[in-house]
Amino acid sequence: MSHKVTLIPGDGIGREVMLAAKRCIDAAGVDIQWEEQIAGQEAVKKFGSVLPARVFDSIKKNKVAIKGPIITPVGKGFRSVNVQLRMSLDLYACLRPCKLYKGVKTRYSQVDLVIIRENTEDLYAGIEFSEGLTRTKNIIDYIEKLSGYLIKKDSSVGIKPISISASRRIVKFAFEYALKNKRKKVTAVHKANIMKETDGLFLNATREVAKDYKGRIEFEDRIVDNMCMQLVLKPELYDVLVLPNLYGDILSDLCAGLVGGLGVAPGANIGDTMALFEAVHGSAPKYTGLNKVNPTAMILSGVLMLRYLGEDKAADRLEKAVSYVIAKGKDVTYDLKVERDDPGAVGTKQMADAVIKRMKNLKK
Ligand code: NAD
């Protein structure tokens, strides 16, 4: 079967890792027609916008997209392209498997976690009001009147919306994922002891949804700070984690660290009718154009995409080839070598070449 997929190369190392991933996906034996769309810094130069309307049009038409990382400058006036895409397309579930592949150097012997992060609300949605503006002062006055709490007048203010509907649907997604992928346990992560209304609502929603899966999937909850410690000490005790947006963002990097770093952490943003696949890592600007960084996270995001497209055989073949190359430890990038300055480390392109070569052998 033929598939049409929107391909967004992204900024910094984006084009390098995306090209490597595209070559690997094509070599997995699927018929994909790629529709390249530019977003980010290159789109600013070409179209005067970081996120031209044609990108949305293409994703809405094709329903499936794969994207390299896109820079979000720190400071005022820049809304993250990544957040805009997830929110505007209602890609509410962020799926981030963190699996330890044999041959990756880490402190752990067994990690196989899946992070499911709510993608559309919470502090991460970026609803913020700048210090000094009249409307910010008005908000501060209003909140003081309503709550009785004093807020310093020279504050910026951020809003943390957490809804029953968004909480319920992400937790349902987590349980359905657990069932479909033969997982045993879902752990909800929150800070409901302090944020009683927002995280409290999230926790109540998770408990309600969990009732529907009683006897089929185990359920528990953890406070986010404790969860961080537990994950560092004994990650093998956890399975599927479901979290609101901001905690999900932070724990994604923590869990990527457990399985060897950002170079091997893939991701997907999934909605009811479409999906956008991307690595957890960013555009790592200092490595741009050096053919140095690890393409694995982007290739494994491609594996997730192939599974979403129903191409399980191709996905298995590609994942097997990646895990073989990593386990061999020869044709891998610097971050997968025992010593980071190992002169035997290969480049982004050469690691992808090794994966493609292995797939050819697997087919025989
Ligand atoms: P980053 O993930 O780009 O890089 C942090 C460090 O991680 C790098 O310096 C490098 O040492 C390592 N790293 C990242 N990817 C790697 C790879 N493929 N192989 C080997 N090592 C790798 O994080 P940052 O420096 O905080 O962010 C840079 C830019 O990327 C920012 O503008 C940020 O907003 C953006 N960003 C985008 C996305 C996205 O598009 N989804 C995600 C995160 C960050």
Side-chain angles (χ1 to χ4, degrees):
M1 191 187 163
S2 172
H3 308 279
K4 259 196 154 182
V5 171
T6 302
L7 181 148
I8 306 164
D11 296 322
I13 57 167
R15 199 168 269 282
E16 294 159 62
V17 288
M18 182 56 84
L19 180 62
K22 175 177 174 285
R23 288 175 54 231
C24 291
I25 295 165
D26 282 335
V30 277
D31 178 9
I32 294 184
Q33 289 172 262
W34 302 97
E35 192 173 293
E36 183 170 324
Q37 294 292 341
I38 298 165
Q41 304 303 304
E42 207 183 327
V44 174
K45 283 187 210 139
K46 214 164 172 184
F47 303 112
S49 159
V50 278
L51 191 50
R54 56 200 293 155
V55 179
F56 284 108
D57 295 344
S58 173
I59 300 174
K60 282 180 186 159
K61 174 171 60 85
N62 296 329
K63 311 284 184 213
V64 180
I66 187 162
K67 178 181 93 51
I70 291 179
I71 290 172
T72 307
V74 175
K76 294 179 184 179
F78 302 101
R79 184 135 198 256
S80 160
V81 167
N82 309 304
V83 175
Q84 279 185 66
L85 279 168
R86 294 168 197 160
M87 291 186 66
S88 307
L89 299 171
D90 202 22
L91 303 172
Y92 61 85
C94 180
L95 172 71
R96 290 175 164 179
C98 295
K99 182 165 149 186
L100 189 55
Y101 287 93
K102 199 174 154 227
V104 172
K105 53 174 179 24
T106 76
R107 295 164 190 273
Y108 305 95
S109 56
Q110 189 201 335
V111 186
D112 187 7
L113 295 160
V114 178
I115 292 200
I116 294 180
R117 159 188 174 191
E118 204 288 324
N119 237 356
T120 64
E121 50 183 29
D122 192 357
L123 280 172
Y124 205 93
I127 308 168
E128 298 203 299
F129 300 90
S130 307
E131 181 274 323
L133 295 184
T134 307
R135 60 185 185 150
T136 310
K137 288 183 186 136
N138 291 342
I139 290 169
I140 290 173
D141 289 344
Y142 188 63
I143 294 173
E144 280 189 354
K145 250 185 233 152
L146 283 180
S147 66
Y149 287 109
L150 285 180
I151 301 174
K152 288 197 172 67
K153 300 295 176 206
D154 57 352
S155 300
S156 285
V157 175
I159 302 288
K160 172 169 170 158
I162 301 270
S163 67
I164 296 177
S165 50
S167 301
R168 288 187 70 93
R169 76 175 172 174
I170 194 65
V171 180
K172 192 166 187 304
F173 182 97
F175 275 100
E176 288 297 323
Y177 177 91
L179 275 182
K180 205 171 155 205
N181 293 278
K182 302 190 172 42
R183 295 280 175 161
K184 293 194 165 54
K185 183 169 75 173
V186 171
T187 306
V189 184
H190 59 87
K191 187 79 185 175
N193 53 330
I194 300 297
M195 275 161 269
K196 295 178 192 297
E197 298 307 328
T198 47
D199 286 24
L201 180 151
F202 178 78
L203 179 58
N204 285 339
T206 63
R207 286 178 173 157
E208 279 299 309
V209 174
K211 284 182 195 160
D212 297 339
Y213 296 87
K214 207 169 174 198
R216 293 187 289 166
I217 301 286
E218 201 186 318
F219 172 73
E220 62 183 10
D221 70 273
R222 291 279 182 277
I223 292 173
V224 63
D225 37 351
N226 177 31
M227 188 76 240
C228 291
M229 184 195 67
Q230 298 280 334
L231 283 170
V232 170
L233 284 179
K234 36 195 174 185
E236 70 281 2
L237 295 187
Y238 296 92
D239 191 346
V240 176
L241 310 180
V242 62
L243 314 92
N245 207 341
L246 184 60
Y247 307 146
D249 178 52
I250 297 166
L251 264 68
S252 293
D253 275 35
L254 188 155
C255 291
L258 301 178
V259 296
L262 286 170
V264 294
N269 304 291
I270 301 174
D272 285 333
T273 58
M274 54 191 128
L276 170 69
F277 296 82
E278 61 180 339
V280 174
H281 66 72
S283 54
K286 67 180 179 195
Y287 293 119
T288 305
L290 299 182
N291 185 39
K292 185 170 168 79
V293 296
N294 192 342
T296 302
M298 203 68 238
I299 298 172
L300 291 176
S301 302
V303 169
L304 294 177
M305 183 183 87
L306 289 172
R307 296 203 192 287
Y308 182 86
L309 290 170
E311 298 284 0
D312 284 315
K313 274 193 184 154
D316 289 344
R317 197 178 303 132
L318 181 49
E319 189 176 5
K320 266 189 204 152
V322 172
S323 75
Y324 174 87
V325 170
I326 293 175
K328 280 271 164 198
K330 183 175 163 282
D331 297 312
V332 295
T333 45
Y334 74 99
D335 56 314
L336 292 178
K337 292 287 187 185
V338 176
E339 301 297 334
R340 289 205 147 212
D341 53 0
D342 185 334
V346 302
T348 311
K349 178 179 178 301
Q350 290 67 32
M351 187 166 174
D353 289 344
V355 171
I356 293 166
K357 189 171 167 207
R358 179 62 190 164
M359 271 191 290
K360 282 184 185 147
N361 291 337
L362 278 175
K363 270 191 228 170
K364 279 179 193 162

